[in-house]
Amino acid sequence: TVRHRLQMLNEVPIPPEDCFFTNAYMALIAGDSNVGDLRLLDSDPLEQACQRFFTRQVDLLSPRVVACLGAPACAFVARHCDGQIPWPRSSKVARYFRSIDATGAALQSSVRIGAKSVAVVALVHPSYRQLNARGRPEVELLRAALRDTPPPM
């Protein structure tokens, strides 16, 4: 994941030291795999705790852009942005990114997360980028998000 993420940042270019990386879910998935879906409900205490933690990080760090890496992260952010983002709220939607791209909704400007307004962009997870992002303008989406979002005051 790190190698692919750094490669993408280099293409934009964004210095890695200008980034803060976190996970939507602060938990482990049971089993031997590092990837998977936690399958939590909005009412689940872990889902709610992770949302509060994510919102607190955005409030403290004041990012210009939140880049959601992978369908589970995109669905997590979509569920918790009060309907501001027209992305599927479940990562189990077949062809998740095609459904977003078909509506031109991969980049969302001025999304309110906590007390902050940020650009939010839906990206294929770096581990799957070579396989699933063919033809998807991911680097251009990140460039546009940065270009169109002024630095915080």
Side-chain angles (χ1 to χ4, degrees):
T1 300
V2 173
R3 178 175 43 109
H4 293 106
R5 184 175 56 213
L6 292 175
Q7 179 184 3
M8 177 185 268
L9 292 175
N10 198 31
E11 289 177 46
V12 172
I14 302 172
E17 57 273 11
D18 288 353
C19 300
F20 173 77
F21 301 99
T22 189
N23 288 306
Y25 293 107
M26 302 300 153
L28 297 174
I29 298 172
D32 296 332
S33 177
N34 291 339
V35 295
D37 195 353
L38 288 173
R39 297 186 190 125
L40 298 175
L41 301 173
D42 286 350
S43 60
D44 187 286
L46 177 60
E47 174 89 7
Q48 293 173 354
C50 290
Q51 176 54 33
R52 286 190 303 273
F53 186 69
F54 174 72
T55 300
R56 182 72 175 136
Q57 290 178 90
V58 171
D59 282 342
L60 288 171
L61 297 170
S62 301
R64 292 170 58 192
V65 177
V66 171
C68 301
L69 304 179
C74 293
F76 173 87
V77 172
R79 282 194 303 275
H80 298 293
C81 286
D82 301 322
Q84 299 174 75
I85 301 175
W87 299 345
R89 294 167 60 92
S90 170
S91 61
K92 292 297 182 190
V93 175
R95 304 187 195 302
Y96 189 91
F97 291 99
R98 285 188 189 172
S99 68
I100 291 172
D101 295 343
T103 61
L107 173 57
Q108 297 292 305
S109 301
S110 301
V111 173
R112 174 109 3 233
I113 298 175
K116 305 295 181 187
S117 181
V118 299
V120 179
V121 62
L123 302 173
V124 172
H125 192 279
S127 295
Y128 299 110
R129 185 171 180 224
Q130 300 299 333
L131 181 65
N132 295 328
R134 280 179 263 134
R136 198 160 191 273
E138 298 213 321
V139 170
E140 290 78 14
L141 286 168
L142 273 174
R143 286 181 183 147
L146 289 167
R147 181 183 59 243
D148 299 343
T149 308
M153 298 290 185

